[in-house]
Each structure stands twice: as structure tokens, then as C-alpha cells.
Amino acid sequence: MATKPTEPVTILSLRKLSLGTTETQIKEPKMFTVEDAVETIGFGRFHIALFLIMGSTGMVFFGYMVFSILFGLLADRYGRWKILLISFLWGAYFSLLTSFAPSYIWFVFLRTMVGCGVSGHSQGLIIKTEFLPTKYRGYMLPLSQVFWLAGSLLIIGLASVIIPTIGWRWLIRVASIPGIILIMAFKFIPESARFNVSTGNTPAALATLERIAKMNRAVMPEGKLVEPVLEKRGRFADLLDAKYLRTTLQIWVIWLGISFAYYGVILASAELLERDLVCGSKSDSEVVVTQGNSEEGQSPCHCHLFAPSDYQTMIISTVGEIALNPLNILGINFLGRRLSLSITMGCTALFFLLLNICTSSAGLIGFLFVLRALVAANFNTIYIYTAEVYPTTMRALGMGTSGSLCRIGAMVAPFISQVLMSASILGALCLFSSVCVICAISAFTLPIETKGRALQQIK
């Protein structure tokens, strides 16, 4: 009797079916990181609202230098949002108190306290950086300059009206109002999802990302949010680690030099306008000497109050800060952060030297206009680069230490633009130019290019 033939095809089919079932059972669930979520959600209404709120801050010197490092350290350890809120409250409170200063000593002390609070405002840039998709950072972060420009123009306009009529105290009080109002907007600002997930608070990070996705009418990545928990954060040793030592040192040099040049331009502008030092039209001996009144003493002041035309000139030169923004954005995105910064720093050095040219008032204003545009572009680029080059565990501290060096440059600038310039305009301008050349070389030789690079979560 013949045996029944086997059916190998059926056996193979069952085997394939069995193997397919096993693969389905052991398949790992999908996972994503905050970087994946940020890129998937994209840019939308959340980022626009965030920029409108974060763009309305300002700067002060010594207090900023001291507290910039401290706030950066605390922001890496306890969160960006908390430090940002504290800095807003602190700055607004002491700014308002300044208007009631009974003496010059109290005025200086209270303005120092304002600087301490304002030093935490840089965490707003960190939050914006950590929420922006990679391709948008080079476009949106430079646009923050618009808010700085708006604030500068507003304070110049207010000063021209308020100081001659009701005095400087009311100028400070009126200028404090926007900061107080902005505190109420902090309900909208979330803690950085990158920070939350690095501390193990994944549910809060996920809730924030889902909220942003809903607001932007976008979808979240599929799967589970997974990121490593990072216990060590905000350590000075990390900034000077072998991997980042050269980058950190060069960044510090650049920040110091850019700030030195920026405030040098501003103060030199005021010095040239006050003394009318255009093409040697007035010597120091011809400058009008204003005597103080009986209440303030009889000390001579080698300056005079700004006339309406002087305020107009300051407005024109201030508008220059936004003039090169389109070119700056193109350079940052197509040439890269390093080359773009190197070019603008080199041009800044050149235009400092051009101030030595004998020219008219219109020519001086033109040079100052271009200089303000260049130094603003320098600040734009180094802010972006610093926020991008460091990982999450040390990003705020890296920005804080850089901001502290920035204040040193700002405090040295008056001695050059006002004291040295009184003795030798050529010597002062050559010094500013030389510093810019050093910064241009440092920028060109930075070891890391951050253009198109995802933000690093760990060192």
C-alpha cells in the first residue's frame, strides 16, 4: 500500500508563519528622544509666543558679572524656568527701587542688584535654543535682536521726553513697567524638556512636548520618550575638560572682546557727540564747561546735556544694530557660525580704524551706524554658538561664565572710550581694532562648528 505523500510546502509555510509570529512578539517598542520630538513637532505658534516673551530683557554690568556664573550653575542643576523667574522678579524689584535712591551710593548699589537679577535673563536664550528644531535655530535666534533694538529705541525715546521734563527717576519707573508686566506671562513658559528628561522627570518633559505639539498643531513621534538620566551637571570641571578646554577658552576671549567692542562703540559715540570731536572741529579746551548748581556742588563737568538732535543721532546709530541682521542670518546658516563671526569681527576692526578719517557729522553717523550693525551681528553669532556647542548638563553654566567675561569687557570699555580717547582718539580706536582682530582669529580657529548639528545631551 502506497504511503501518503508529504506536503513540504505546507510545512515550510507553517514554519514561516511560526517564525513571523515570534518576531512580532519580541519586537522592541518604538522609542524617541527629546531631540526627535523637537524636530518632529517643528516650528509654530509656541515658538512665536516664547520669543515674544523672552525678547523683552536687558543688561547691567557688575552685578551681571557676579551672578551670571551663579545663575548658570543653578540653572543646570535646578532648571532654567526657576532661575529665569527669579531673575525677572529680582530685576524688576530693584529696578523700581532705584528710582527712589536717596544718594549716589544707594543708586550704584541698587543698580548692582538690578544687574544681579538681569544676569539670569540669558536662560531665556537657553530655553529658546533647547526648544527650537535644528534648522530654525540659525534663523530665529538672530531675530531676538529685534527685541533688543525695540528696547533700545524705546528707552532713548522715553529719555528724550521724560528727562528734560520730570527727571531721570520717572524714566526708571516707566522703564520698569514692561518687566513687571512680563512676569505675568511666566505661566506660559514651560521648563526645558531637555532639562527635565536629563533629571529623570520624563513625565513632565513628555507633557511639555505634547502641549507644544498641540499648540503647533503637530504630531508627536511614535513610541516612548527615552533619554539617559544625568546625575552630574553644572560642574566647572566640565567646561575645562579636555574635550571642551580649547573651545571654552576661545569662547571666553571672544565674549570679552565682543562686549569690549560693543560698549566701546556706544560710549565712543556719546563721547564724540558730547565733545563734537568730528574732524578736530573742537579741541578739549573749547568744550563748554557746565558748572553744577549749589546743591550738587561746583565740580566742572566736561559735557553738556543732549540736545534733541543728539537723541536723534543716537536713534539712527541704534537702528544700525538691525541693519545687517538679514546678512548675518544668511552668513550663520550658509557659511557657518565660525566663519560668519570671523568675518564680522574683522569688519568691526576695520571700521574702528575708519573712525580716524576726517569726516563730517553725517560721515561719523554713517560709520557709527555700520559699527553698531557689526557689533550686534557679533553678539548674535556668539550667543547662538555658545548655546549650541555645550551639552545640556553644562549649557547654562557655559553661557553664564561667558556672560561674566562679557561684563568684564563692558566694564573696561569706558576707560578706553572715555578716558584714553580724551588723550588720544587714534590710540583708543587702534586698541579696539586690535582686540577685534584677536577675536576674529579666535572665531576662525574654533575647533567645533555647530551649524546643522543637533544639540548634545551628554558630554
Side-chain angles (χ1 to χ4, degrees), residues 437-448:
V437 170
I438 293 173
C439 291
I441 296 172
S442 296
F444 186 76
T445 58
L446 282 167
I448 302 173

Side-chain angles (χ1 to χ4, degrees), residues 71-384:
F71 278 154
L73 181 68
L74 295 176
D76 273 333
R77 294 188 179 183
Y78 302 108
R80 286 79 161 107
W81 188 90
K82 298 183 185 72
I83 299 305
L84 192 58
L85 177 60
I86 291 172
S87 72
F88 262 80
L89 290 170
W90 187 322
Y93 175 71
F94 281 103
S95 180
L96 191 59
L97 281 185
T98 303
S99 67
F100 298 97
S103 65
Y104 179 72
I105 298 299
W106 271 105
F107 179 86
V108 172
F109 170 74
L110 291 172
R111 293 312 292 177
T112 301
M113 291 297 100
V114 172
C116 294
V118 171
S119 66
H121 288 189
S122 61
Q123 298 310 313
L125 180 77
I126 297 295
I127 289 179
K128 289 186 290 187
T129 302
E130 293 184 337
F131 276 124
L132 277 170
T134 302
K135 67 178 182 179
Y136 288 101
R137 289 201 301 267
Y139 294 96
M140 292 305 301
L141 292 177
L143 290 179
S144 300
Q145 188 68 21
V146 174
F147 295 98
W148 179 266
L149 172 67
S152 299
L153 294 177
L154 177 62
I155 200 65
I156 294 173
L158 288 173
S160 66
V161 175
I162 295 176
I163 290 180
T165 54
I166 55 179
W168 63 268
R169 294 182 186 273
W170 278 103
L171 174 64
I172 294 177
R173 291 164 191 164
V174 172
S176 300
I177 294 174
I180 296 172
I181 295 175
L182 282 170
I183 293 172
M184 296 184 290
F186 266 74
K187 286 185 178 180
F188 167 80
I189 303 171
E191 177 57 272
S192 166
R194 294 178 189 271
F195 173 81
N196 274 335
V197 80
S198 70
T199 61
N201 194 0
T202 304
L206 185 60
T208 297
L209 293 170
E210 289 175 343
R211 171 187 164 193
I212 296 172
K214 182 178 179 181
M215 189 172 180
N216 285 3
R217 298 177 182 176
V219 295
M220 289 281 289
E222 294 183 2
K224 180 181 178 181
L225 176 59
V226 177
E227 292 270 13
V229 177
L230 310 172
E231 296 181 358
K232 296 180 180 179
R233 63 186 68 251
R235 301 186 306 171
F236 288 99
D238 291 337
L239 290 176
L240 302 177
D241 182 80
K243 182 177 180 181
Y244 288 101
L245 177 60
R246 179 182 162 188
T247 300
T248 296
L249 294 178
Q250 289 185 231
I251 283 178
W252 287 351
V253 169
I254 295 169
W255 270 95
L256 194 153
I258 288 177
S259 178
F260 178 68
Y262 180 83
Y263 290 101
V265 171
I266 294 175
L267 296 172
S269 302
E271 184 72 10
L272 292 172
L273 290 170
E274 286 178 351
R275 295 177 177 268
D276 197 18
L277 295 177
V278 180
C279 196
S281 58
K282 282 190 182 181
S283 64
D284 287 348
S285 61
E286 295 174 310
V287 176
V288 176
V289 178
T290 304
Q291 298 289 341
N293 58 37
S294 57
E295 293 181 0
E296 297 179 357
Q298 299 296 322
S299 300
C301 175
H302 294 274
C303 60
H304 57 79
L305 292 177
F306 270 23
S309 60
D310 294 324
Y311 283 112
Q312 293 171 9
T313 300
M314 293 298 289
I315 289 175
I316 292 172
S317 63
T318 300
V319 170
E321 294 199 12
I322 203 69
L324 289 183
N325 223 20
L327 290 177
N328 186 215
I329 292 174
L330 290 175
I332 287 172
N333 287 281
F334 293 98
L335 300 179
R337 282 53 162 160
R338 295 180 300 183
L339 182 56
S340 177
L341 180 57
S342 181
I343 292 173
T344 54
M345 286 302 308
C347 291
T348 305
L350 175 61
F351 271 86
F352 265 117
L353 294 178
L354 290 178
L355 285 179
N356 286 296
I357 296 177
C358 183
T359 183
S360 62
S361 294
L364 173 64
I365 293 172
F367 284 139
L368 293 175
F369 184 91
V370 176
L371 262 176
R372 289 291 286 267
L374 288 168
V375 293
N378 296 334
F379 256 130
N380 270 342
T381 310
I382 194 60
Y383 260 115
I384 295 171

